[in-house]
Amino acid sequence: MKRKLAALAAISLTSLGLAACSSGSEAAGPADDPGEKGFDVSTVKTDPAVAKLVPANIKKAGVLKNGASVDYAPAEYMKADNKTPTGYDVDMVKAIAKVMGLKDGTTTHGEFDSLIPQIGTKYDIGVSGFSITKEREAETQMVSYAELGFSYGVAKGNPKKFDPKNPCGKTVGVQTGTAQQETIKEISKQCEADGKPAVTVKEHKMQTEIVPKVTGGQYDAVLADSPVVGYAVKMSGGELEIVGEAFETAQHGVVVNKNNEQLAKAVQAALQKLMDDGTLKKIFAVYGADSFILDKAVINPNVSE
């Protein structure tokens, strides 16, 4: 989430945590994090009509395999044990699998920019804060489930006087391969075109590497999806705060291999079931992100960028 690819607009945000880094490559959340318990997917029942749509190979395996960059709380991140993925995207995948009549929906960590090429081989689907763009729809099938935007986070009190309306000359941290990376580069180009200093863009493979550099004073701001920055603020103990209005609204979707129309239809049907019975909203509510849920799951919806 996350993980988009261009354009500008506005929304408000509410959720990202200053997740504690460990010796592993993923980030582990604190013990009091809502993701430690997550959503109880045992309450989700199989829908026979949806189960009929599931491709034979996945039905035989009994597992829906998801690839995600598990460092993006509250969408996908590690529990305090640094072994177990959690987050609203992770719980959603499990719920989709249950509706499909499968034993489980698993999430495996991979670097964000490596995920899409492996969907259809290593992974059945990709649920990792993927914004829906024309470019991604040309390469894959995407099934919509949420809509949200971007926000800037700065150190408490904004000591570097970062102006979200004029980031020219400032240092901003973003995750590699995300829409935020593309957006801040476009903003930087505009700065130069206007005769202002460029934005110094600091790119990191892991989202959790960025916030400590903001609160520590090395960077002026972090730019990420709204729920992600909001959660970071909540979990930072007051060391991080949101500045300015959220912008760049976009739909997020489940990524399916371009050639697997049957699975795309099964995912769409499962998501629609979860939307219609209120389960998807309940899953996102655990993480304070239920306001971002869409009413309709659409395969490759029409998007402007």
Side-chain angles (χ1 to χ4, degrees):
M1 349 67 54
K2 234 175 172 166
R3 295 161 155 178
K4 186 180 161 207
L5 278 175
L8 296 163
I11 89 171
S12 63
L13 78 92
T14 59
S15 327
L16 160 180
L18 187 56
C21 292
S22 70
S23 58
S25 63
E26 297 84 25
D32 61 349
D33 188 281
E36 288 298 306
K37 183 177 180 181
F39 180 79
D40 182 9
V41 295
S42 69
T43 61
V44 181
K45 306 301 181 185
T46 298
D47 185 315
V50 176
K52 289 180 180 179
L53 300 174
V54 179
N57 65 316
I58 295 177
K59 191 174 295 186
K60 181 178 180 181
V63 176
L64 184 68
K65 296 180 292 184
N66 173 47
S69 179
V70 190
D71 64 331
Y72 216 68
E76 45 269 331
Y77 58 112
M78 289 293 179
K79 291 186 178 183
D81 63 7
N82 200 38
K83 296 178 181 179
T84 309
T86 191
Y88 58 71
D89 279 346
V90 174
D91 288 350
M92 182 179 74
V93 169
K94 290 179 177 293
I96 290 171
K98 293 281 285 186
V99 173
M100 289 179 168
L102 304 175
K103 291 182 294 184
D104 197 8
T106 62
T107 294
T108 302
H109 174 76
E111 290 186 355
F112 183 70
D113 52 4
S114 75
L115 297 174
I116 288 181
Q118 299 182 87
I119 294 170
T121 54
K122 183 175 182 179
Y123 312 118
D124 298 317
I125 60 174
V127 183
S128 190
F130 285 108
S131 299
I132 299 176
T133 66
K134 287 185 176 180
E135 181 180 344
R136 285 177 176 155
E137 287 185 336
E139 300 174 349
T140 69
Q141 298 192 72
M142 301 194 74
V143 188
S144 59
Y145 64 90
E147 185 169 15
L148 47 90
F150 301 171
S151 288
Y152 288 107
V154 298
K156 180 182 179 181
N158 198 8
K160 293 180 175 287
K161 308 301 180 186
F162 179 82
D163 180 358
K165 295 182 179 179
N166 181 26
C168 304
K170 298 296 186 178
T171 300
V172 178
V174 292
Q175 186 176 23
T176 304
T178 64
Q180 291 84 17
Q181 179 188 33
E182 297 299 320
T183 294
I184 198 65
K185 286 183 177 180
E186 289 300 317
I187 291 172
S188 183
K189 288 179 182 178
Q190 188 61 52
C191 289
E192 293 183 288
D194 293 341
K196 299 177 181 179
V199 178
T200 299
V201 181
K202 295 292 187 179
E203 301 164 4
H204 289 261
K205 289 288 187 182
M206 303 294 288
Q207 178 67 29
T208 45
E209 297 171 353
I210 302 170
V211 173
K213 292 186 179 295
V214 176
T215 56
Q218 293 110 306
Y219 298 171
D220 297 294
V222 55
L223 179 62
D225 282 334
S226 292
V228 173
V229 180
Y231 179 82
V233 169
K234 178 180 178 181
M235 303 304 290
S236 71
E239 295 303 309
L240 189 77
E241 65 182 50
I242 296 160
V243 63
E245 297 292 327
F247 62 96
E248 191 84 38
T249 54
Q251 293 185 48
H252 281 206
V254 177
V255 181
V256 181
N257 186 273
K258 186 71 172 179
N259 300 317
N260 200 338
E261 183 177 356
Q262 185 178 355
L263 179 57
K265 289 181 177 179
V267 169
Q268 178 192 32
L271 277 172
Q272 193 62 57
K273 172 68 174 179
L274 294 170
M275 290 173 179
D276 291 345
D277 67 15
T279 300
L280 195 59
K281 185 171 281 288
K282 291 177 182 178
I283 290 171
F284 276 58
V286 170
Y287 304 90
D290 49 305
S291 63
F292 301 118
I293 295 299
L294 293 170
D295 294 327
K296 296 293 182 182
V298 178
I299 298 174
N300 284 353
N302 185 30
V303 293
S304 60
E305 295 291 337

